[in-house]
Amino acid sequence: MELSPFNYRVERIKGFLNLESHPAKRQSYEFKFAYIAFLSVVLQAGSRNEEQVSDVLSTYKRHFGIKESDYNQLQNIGGEREEELFSSILQLLGYHGDYHKGKEFKESACSKLLLGEMLFFELNDANKFNFNPLLRLYADFCKVSQAKEMEIKSLLIKIIAGGADVKGLLKLKRMEVFKYLQNAANAYWVQEQADSVHVTVIATMSSGKSTLLNALIGKKVFPSENKACTSTYLKFTNRPKIVREIGLAAGNHPDSRWNLTCEDIARWNGDSGIERIEVEGKMNSFSMLKKLSVSFIDTPGTNNSRNREHEVVTQGILEQKNSDMILYVLNATNLAPDDDKILLQQVVKHLGDQQVIFLLNKTDQLDLEADDNITESLAVARSHVMELGIASPVIVPISSYAAGLFRNILSNSPLTKREMRDALSLLELFQIPQYDMNRYVDRSLMKSLPQSTVHVRSHRMIQVGNKSISSKEIVEAMKKTGIHILEQLLLQEIKYTR
């Protein structure tokens, strides 16, 4: 399925479809099962790939409360020809040769809405719908004339285009059921028209920028490993009103996904046929930025000797100067290498009006009881940055790994055994005063920042590995990682940008 600009809009609107308010949910179980059964055969014969079909159907199944045993029956339906496939569904539903049993479904307004949803999934550009023979079989079964089908198609195009002239059509009794789709489009347009701020994160390989992004968002979206893991343009946009997270992949292997997982993103990221990945979802409830329309763009590390294409992608992003601000991540355990110098020179060259904030990451890996010293590391970083032409740089010490772990714990996200061990160790580490990142930030800067913070209405005990820990203790440790200082700086820059 090609993802044209129009298709991007269609896929994004689908992210606002609220199945909890779906008109068919008020119908009987038998009706809802018929609804998903017809949707199943049409999608399987349509333009979407197997993973996309499974993704959509499993979402409907969950919201409609379809039993696992009934859902499994749909997976076993087959036929060599479209007519055989459709006939198999009619037999499964008991509609084959029994006009009266299928009459309720046929005559329901929801059967017309389903045709609209099926067509919605078959859109490929502003004026065309992919040919799907099952659609006509379904329309014939429900006695929907071709004229009525054309009316529905025209309405869909107008809804997606955001035209105001749909209001009159939706007041008609025969069309009012399509308000369900219009509501999703309206929610999309409200978000699309909101002021959005773009933040690009840049660093050399293995500096922890993907870990930082995951900490800011509050969940695992960006591939994060101890190797070069971001290989393409990858963008996450916070949509406070979106219903479900969606992902869009563009390139020679276009793809889209509801209920996106980090495994999906990792697979797309490793596909050389995909040039761009865009994710839209909600930030973690513990983020100060959760109510804002803000986009974070990850870039490939430029010092990957095995793939010089990474450098080309990052160079292209810098040259476009499309960001409102840049976060440049420095590795506290490996400060001022030649690779950093080369990349920073490129950042300075293409900076323009973009604001830049420097982050001294991986501070939790410094041994402050030995020879390591955060104050000295900050001084080295400052000197390194100023030598390349950045006057009075803002540098924030941060442990993005710790911040991400703490936020995952607070939001009940699953952790691996290693992450649990690390979390317990880091909770203990951030009780040591020297590891409080707030103490290393300039006092005048701290006073100038917005006094926004994360409030937890009621604390609870959380099981982390073999220990039960108060959420209050975890929140206090999170405040010391530097993540709150960064978010306050971003809030300040966003206010200035707007």
Side-chain angles (χ1 to χ4, degrees):
M1 181 185 68
E2 292 295 329
L3 287 177
S4 65
F6 184 78
N7 255 126
Y8 267 110
R9 187 188 305 166
V10 172
E11 293 300 318
R12 288 177 174 127
I13 289 173
K14 288 173 188 172
F16 291 91
L17 287 173
N18 187 358
L19 269 66
E20 280 303 308
S21 64
H22 196 291
K25 282 204 70 176
R26 299 191 291 269
Q27 305 291 333
S28 66
Y29 179 84
E30 290 73 18
F31 189 102
K32 288 184 286 189
F33 180 62
Y35 200 98
I36 194 174
F38 285 123
L39 180 62
S40 172
V41 292
V42 170
L43 284 179
Q44 289 177 46
S47 61
R48 305 181 83 77
N49 62 45
E50 186 177 340
E51 290 82 6
Q52 290 172 323
V53 171
S54 176
D55 189 30
V56 171
L57 291 178
S58 63
T59 304
Y60 276 81
K61 170 205 163 198
R62 184 173 66 254
H63 285 280
F64 281 20
I66 303 301
K67 298 174 185 175
E68 194 70 36
S69 57
D70 290 337
Y71 184 72
N72 289 338
Q73 289 186 73
L74 299 179
Q75 313 309 303
N76 299 322
I77 292 292
E80 292 184 5
R81 295 184 300 115
E82 288 82 7
E83 292 83 355
E84 292 177 358
L85 182 60
F86 195 75
S87 179
S88 297
I89 282 295
L90 293 180
Q91 289 178 352
L92 175 65
L93 297 173
Y95 291 176
H96 198 279
D98 189 339
Y99 172 79
H100 292 287
K101 190 161 186 186
K103 184 178 179 182
E104 178 190 356
F105 188 92
K106 291 178 183 180
E107 296 180 351
S108 168
C110 284
S111 67
K112 314 306 183 291
L113 174 61
L114 177 54
L115 178 61
E117 289 185 77
M118 291 171 174
L119 287 164
F120 202 37
F121 285 110
E122 292 299 325
L123 271 165
N124 57 29
D125 62 38
N127 296 301
K128 297 179 183 178
F129 294 82
N130 294 314
F131 175 72
N132 185 335
L134 267 296
L135 269 169
R136 193 63 246 162
L137 290 173
Y138 172 80
D140 288 343
F141 172 76
C142 293
K143 300 190 182 305
V144 178
S145 66
Q146 290 193 358
K148 175 69 173 178
E149 182 180 326
M150 290 302 297
E151 185 181 36
I152 293 172
K153 286 181 176 179
S154 176
L155 176 64
L156 288 176
I157 296 296
K158 290 176 180 178
I159 285 175
I160 293 162
D165 54 347
V166 300
K167 291 182 179 179
L169 287 171
L170 294 175
K171 288 180 180 178
L172 299 175
K173 183 71 175 176
R174 69 180 187 275
M175 305 296 278
E176 63 182 6
V177 71
F178 291 97
K179 287 180 182 177
Y180 169 70
L181 298 178
Q182 175 66 17
N183 290 338
N186 285 344
Y188 161 79
W189 282 111
V190 168
Q191 291 290 301
E192 192 69 10
Q193 291 165 5
D195 290 335
S196 186
V197 175
H198 294 80
V199 180
T200 297
V201 182
I202 294 177
T204 54
M205 191 176 72
S206 299
S207 294
K209 58 183 171 51
S210 296
T211 303
L212 168 72
L213 282 161
N214 287 335
L216 282 167
I217 294 166
K219 52 191 165 188
K220 296 175 183 176
V221 172
F222 296 88
S224 177
E225 302 173 26
N226 290 322
K227 58 183 179 181
C229 46
T230 301
S231 58
T232 188
Y233 177 101
L234 205 170
K235 173 178 160 184
F236 175 93
T237 301
N238 185 47
R239 300 292 196 191
K241 302 295 183 182
I242 204 165
V243 176
R244 72 188 60 80
E245 199 154 82
I246 59 172
L248 305 168
N252 294 327
H253 302 157
D255 203 352
S256 64
R257 195 78 73 246
W258 290 5
N259 310 307
L260 195 69
T261 67
C262 55
E263 289 78 17
D264 291 326
I265 297 173
R267 186 171 63 254
W268 286 348
N269 188 58
D271 187 339
S272 59
I274 289 176
E275 301 169 356
R276 182 185 184 97
I277 301 171
E278 294 193 29
V279 181
E280 299 198 353
K282 292 182 181 179
M283 295 179 72
N284 185 279
S285 60
F286 296 97
S287 171
M288 295 179 189
L289 310 173
K290 63 184 177 182
K291 295 182 180 180
L292 301 175
S293 181
V294 55
S295 297
F296 293 99
I297 301 163
D298 196 3
T299 55
T302 55
N303 54 332
N304 182 6
S305 58
R306 297 182 181 179
N307 193 340
R308 304 314 302 179
E309 183 65 24
H310 291 190
E311 185 175 347
V312 174
V313 173
T314 300
Q315 179 79 10
I317 293 171
L318 284 171
E319 289 175 355
Q320 290 173 12
K321 300 181 182 179
N322 288 336
S323 295
D324 295 293
M325 61 194 79
I326 291 174
L327 299 184
Y328 192 101
V329 186
L330 299 161
N331 186 348
T333 65
N334 184 26
L335 272 172
D338 290 340
D339 293 325
D340 245 332
K341 182 177 180 180
I342 294 170
L343 180 55
L344 264 171
Q345 286 173 334
Q346 290 299 314
V347 170
V348 172
K349 178 181 177 182
H350 299 291
L351 192 57
D353 294 331
Q354 300 169 108
Q355 302 298 312
V356 60
I357 298 172
F358 293 91
L359 301 170
L360 184 64
N361 195 25
K362 300 190 178 185
T363 52
D364 58 279
Q365 295 183 24
L366 298 177
D367 188 350
L368 303 186
E369 293 181 351
D371 296 330
D372 293 334
N373 187 297
I374 292 178
T375 301
E376 291 180 2
S377 295
L378 283 167
V380 171
R382 184 176 300 278
S383 175
H384 171 55
V385 170
M386 290 180 71
E387 284 177 5
L388 296 171
I390 301 290
S392 304
V394 175
I395 306 177
V396 177
I398 192 171
S399 170
S400 56
Y401 181 56
L405 285 180
F406 298 158
R407 285 188 165 171
N408 286 336
I409 294 170
L410 290 167
S411 59
N412 298 317
S413 299
L415 300 181
T416 65
K417 289 182 179 179
R418 178 179 177 178
E419 286 173 335
M420 284 185 186
R421 290 195 301 269
D422 289 347
L424 290 172
S425 176
L426 288 165
L427 282 168
E428 187 175 329
L429 184 73
F430 280 95
Q431 291 180 8
I432 301 173
Q434 291 94 319
Y435 284 93
D436 182 354
M437 298 302 117
N438 296 279
R439 66 190 295 172
Y440 300 101
V441 179
D442 184 83
R443 294 297 96 188
S444 60
L445 175 62
M446 290 286 282
K447 288 180 181 179
S448 70
L449 295 177
Q451 296 306 303
S452 179
T453 187
V454 175
H455 297 286
V456 181
R457 292 183 179 179
S458 60
H459 287 284
R460 67 190 192 282
M461 299 305 293
I462 302 176
Q463 194 68 28
V464 184
N466 58 359
K467 287 190 176 182
S468 183
I469 302 172
S470 167
S471 59
K472 183 176 182 179
E473 181 181 337
I474 299 170
V475 169
E476 290 304 312
M478 182 173 64
K479 291 178 180 178
K480 298 175 182 178
T481 63
I483 192 77
H484 281 190
I485 301 170
L486 171 57
E487 287 180 336
Q488 286 173 310
L489 276 166
L490 288 173
L491 281 172
Q492 185 182 63
E493 293 295 341
I494 287 171
K495 183 178 179 181
Y496 174 79
T497 301
R498 288 181 172 177

